[in-house]
């Protein structure tokens, strides 16, 4: 089934201990839609400037992503510049230029309004609510947020969360939003705000899925080389939501499917960090994805305990 994503497309300039890249393709909606396109049809709503390269649009179209909701406005594309240290766990933002993204006001094409699976990328919570005003009876709505909105737009964010089925958030932001230091208590507090499920991303330590009755812990896939963690969280969400959407019209979003989605999110994120920008996602093939999923299963499998000696 189709999956709708609303978020940012950007041109990133990156520096890690392994090199530098200038004006490469980035943005939350870009990572998400590219990843989700491995699983089924994706509709993208975003804004770009006059300077956005046609080659990037050709890449997105080549992935089968529907760009009817993408608008090109007069001005420059959203730009972000960041630097990572050796730990690669958090970027230092060197420069942010919102440009045309500053006045972004998502307007969904008519064909998008019936889409059953909706992902609200990391944009202002009022814009997220504006998107929800336009969709009709979605099967599942997921959203992402960040510390900037938690601190500066909390009332609007809390209103949006009442309309969201699933929230993606990292551990530091979960603590900030909930006021709880313990991540389990933080998840419980967020569930009380409206979402029926919350995924707490923990970087190299994996992710946790919470609902009212269950907790599922998913590790990150161990890699010998990590070059660029930019977009890993959005890639995780793309793999997760793509898995849910590919379950079909009759697919029940139960614990078995959700756990599979968690693992697939981790698998896809593990590819992203192996090269700069979307370079690895451009070349990865489905057999590689299936192989890594199988490796992941072996990595996390263990037998029942059985009787203890005494």
């Amino acid at each position: 089934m189709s999956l709708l994503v609303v978020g940012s497309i950007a041109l990133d300039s990156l520096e890690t201990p392994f090199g530098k890249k200038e004006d490469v393709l980035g943005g939350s909606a870009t990572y998400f839609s590219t990843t989700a396109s491995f699983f089924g049809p994706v509709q993208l709503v975003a804004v770009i400037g006059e300077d956005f390269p046609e080659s990037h649009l050709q890449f997105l179209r080549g992935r089968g992503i529907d760009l009817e909701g993408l608008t090109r406005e007069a001005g420059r594309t959203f730009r972000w510049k960041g630097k990572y240290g050796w730990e690669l766990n958090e970027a230092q933002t060197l420069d942010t230029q919102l440009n045309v993204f500053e006045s972004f006001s998502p307007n969904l094409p008519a064909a998008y309004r019936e889409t059953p699976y909706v992902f609200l990328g990391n944009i202002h919570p009022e814009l997220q609510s504006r998107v929800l005003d336009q969709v009709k009876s979605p099967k599942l709505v997921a959203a992402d947020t960040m510390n900037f909105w938690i601190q500066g737009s909390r009332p609007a964010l809390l209103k949006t969360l009442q309309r969201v089925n699933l929230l993606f958030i990292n551990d530091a932001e979960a603590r900030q939003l909930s006021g709880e230091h313990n991540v389990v208590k933080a998840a419980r507090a967020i569930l009380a705000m409206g979402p029926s499920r919350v995924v707490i991303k923990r970087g190299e330590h994996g992710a946790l899925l919470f609902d009212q009755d269950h907790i599922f812990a998913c590790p990150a896939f161990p890699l010998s080389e990590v070059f660029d963690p930019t977009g890993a969280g959005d890639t995780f969400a793309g793999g997760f939501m793509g898995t849910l959407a590919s379950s079909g019209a009759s697919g029940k979003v139960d614990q078995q499917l959700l756990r599979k989605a968690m693992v697939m999110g981790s698998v896809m994120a593990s590819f992203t960090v192996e090269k700069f920008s979307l370079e690895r996602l451009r070349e990865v093939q489905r057999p590689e994805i299936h192989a890594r999923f199988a490796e992941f299963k072996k990595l996390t499998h263990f037998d029942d305990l059985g009787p203890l000696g005494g």
Side-chain angles (χ1 to χ4, degrees), residues 17 75 104 131 176 196 210 309:
F104 177 48
V131 172
Q176 182 184 13
S196 55
F210 294 86

Side-chain angles (χ1 to χ4, degrees), residues 31-245:
Y31 281 99
F32 181 96
S33 61
T34 300
T35 306
S37 68
F38 283 95
F39 303 90
V42 181
Q43 302 162 336
L44 188 153
V45 176
V47 62
I48 56 175
E50 299 167 306
D51 58 344
F52 192 77
E54 180 63 29
S55 60
H56 292 334
L57 295 179
Q58 292 175 358
F59 163 69
L60 295 172
R61 293 191 189 100
R63 291 295 318 159
I65 298 169
D66 188 331
L67 300 183
E68 184 183 352
L70 180 65
T71 58
R72 189 189 289 269
E73 302 290 345
R76 285 165 56 84
T77 301
F78 173 37
R79 278 173 161 77
W80 176 79
K81 184 176 183 179
K83 180 178 181 180
Y84 294 90
W86 281 104
E87 293 185 358
L88 295 172
N89 56 2
E90 187 174 353
Q92 175 189 358
T93 296
L94 304 177
D95 186 36
T96 301
Q97 300 176 24
L98 294 177
N99 298 325
V100 296
F101 189 59
E102 186 171 11
S103 57
F104 177 48
S105 181
N107 184 29
L108 305 189
Y112 288 15
R113 302 185 180 214
E114 304 284 349
T115 305
Y117 292 87
V118 177
F119 178 72
L120 306 172
N122 185 9
I123 57 178
H124 196 292
E126 290 183 357
L127 295 182
Q128 293 176 327
S129 286
R130 197 174 302 171
V131 172
L132 295 180
D133 290 339
Q134 299 175 61
V135 296
K136 301 177 181 179
S137 303
K139 182 180 178 69
L140 188 143
V141 175
D144 196 357
T145 194
M146 65 179 296
N147 53 4
F148 185 80
W149 309 126
I150 295 170
Q151 181 177 348
S153 304
R154 185 180 181 88
L157 176 59
L158 292 177
K159 288 182 180 179
T160 299
L161 290 181
Q162 294 173 9
R163 308 174 67 183
V164 166
N165 305 117
L166 189 151
L167 178 67
F168 292 92
I169 191 168
N170 71 33
D171 48 1
E173 293 160 349
R175 293 183 177 98
Q176 182 184 13
L177 176 60
S178 66
E180 296 282 359
H181 177 72
N182 179 275
V183 71
V184 177
K185 291 182 178 179
R188 299 300 182 203
I190 294 170
L191 290 172
M193 296 175 186
S196 55
R197 300 179 178 98
V198 58
V199 173
I200 296 183
K201 300 172 291 184
R202 304 174 66 228
E204 64 180 328
H205 303 296
L208 296 167
L209 169 68
F210 294 86
D211 63 21
Q212 294 294 345
D213 302 313
H214 305 92
I215 302 175
F216 178 66
C218 178
F221 191 84
L223 297 168
S224 58
E225 293 183 319
V226 176
F227 281 87
D228 176 20
T230 307
D234 300 305
T235 303
F236 178 95
F240 185 106
M241 292 294 293
T243 301
L244 297 189

Side-chain angles (χ1 to χ4, degrees), residues 248-295:
S250 60
K252 182 180 179 182
V253 181
D254 56 15
Q255 273 295 308
Q256 183 176 0
L257 179 59
L258 288 165
R259 293 182 178 204
K260 179 181 176 182
M262 288 283 286
V263 174
M264 188 56 77
S266 187
V267 166
M268 297 307 296
S270 74
F271 287 116
T272 296
V273 302
E274 289 181 324
K275 290 190 176 182
F276 283 100
S277 181
L278 285 91
E279 292 175 3
R280 188 68 174 96
L281 290 179
R282 288 176 183 269
E283 65 186 25
V284 70
Q285 300 295 316
R286 283 184 173 84
E288 293 179 86
I289 296 172
H290 285 282
R292 189 161 289 186
F293 187 91
E295 289 181 49

